[in-house]
Amino acid sequence: MTATAQKILIGSDHGGYILKESLKKFLSARGHEVIDVGTDSESSVDYPGYAMEVAKRVAADWTLMGILICGTGQGMCMVANRVPGVRAAVCNDLFTARMARAHNNANVLTMGGRVVGPGLAEEIVSVFLNTPFEGGRHQRRIDLFEQG
Ligand code: RB5
């Protein structure tokens, strides 16, 4: 599956570092522009800073997609969703990845580096990047929580 080339911000903590590195190669090889905000090793770090950095930049530029990886995907998702305009979704399976785009117009994908292997993660990312938002009633529902 190939997606139109996109600009992707990617970040992880130590729990997602190995998966981040392999996904960077996967995405770059498919023509995507990948901007890595760290972390740079498997040394223990705190995930909120990486999540905030990606989330704020995605919120400021609707053309960007974000990918955040920690041990489970949960902490990254919780932090990213604190930023208005960000719709982050934990997608550790293909169905959730498809629905997060089609129904929730997610703009940040989070995954667990201790949950999914590199093969499944590549499929999840591909589905996420290739699935369009369906709009319609789903936009109305998003408006209901984004506009307060
Ligand atoms: C780090 O041990 C772990 O808590 C973190 O990667 C993440 O899973 C948090 O949600």
Side-chain angles (χ1 to χ4, degrees):
M1 189 180 279
T2 53
T4 306
Q6 294 183 53
K7 195 166 170 181
I8 296 162
L9 280 169
I10 193 166
S12 77
D13 71 355
H14 52 289
Y17 173 72
I18 297 293
L19 183 55
K20 172 170 70 69
E21 293 306 300
S22 75
L23 284 176
K24 277 164 57 183
K25 292 189 194 114
F26 174 78
L27 289 164
S28 298
R30 281 150 187 82
H32 299 292
E33 182 184 348
V34 183
I35 302 163
D36 183 3
V37 305
T39 186
D40 301 322
S41 77
E42 289 185 89
S43 298
S44 183
V45 291
D46 299 327
Y47 60 82
Y50 303 97
M52 269 293 168
E53 162 112 27
V54 167
K56 284 180 178 170
R57 289 169 70 169
V58 167
D61 182 351
W62 67 269
T63 66
L64 294 175
M65 280 288 195
I67 298 177
L68 288 164
I69 310 162
C70 56
T72 60
Q74 299 292 353
M76 289 294 199
C77 191
M78 289 177 191
V79 175
N81 277 320
R82 295 291 180 106
V83 177
V86 166
R87 293 172 302 280
V90 184
C91 301
N92 287 322
D93 66 88
L94 295 171
F95 180 74
T96 305
R98 184 170 296 108
M99 289 300 108
R101 287 287 312 127
H103 287 191
N104 309 112
N105 200 14
N107 50 13
V108 175
L109 163 67
T110 77
M111 289 181 289
R114 296 170 179 157
V115 181
V116 296
L120 177 55
E122 289 171 6
E123 289 294 315
I124 289 169
V125 167
S126 296
V127 164
F128 192 87
L129 295 178
N130 277 288
T131 303
F133 177 47
E134 289 179 6
R137 68 187 185 281
H138 303 297
Q139 183 61 60
R140 184 181 72 240
R141 291 163 185 164
I142 289 172
D143 291 343
L144 284 169
F145 68 82
E146 289 210 323
Q147 293 169 8

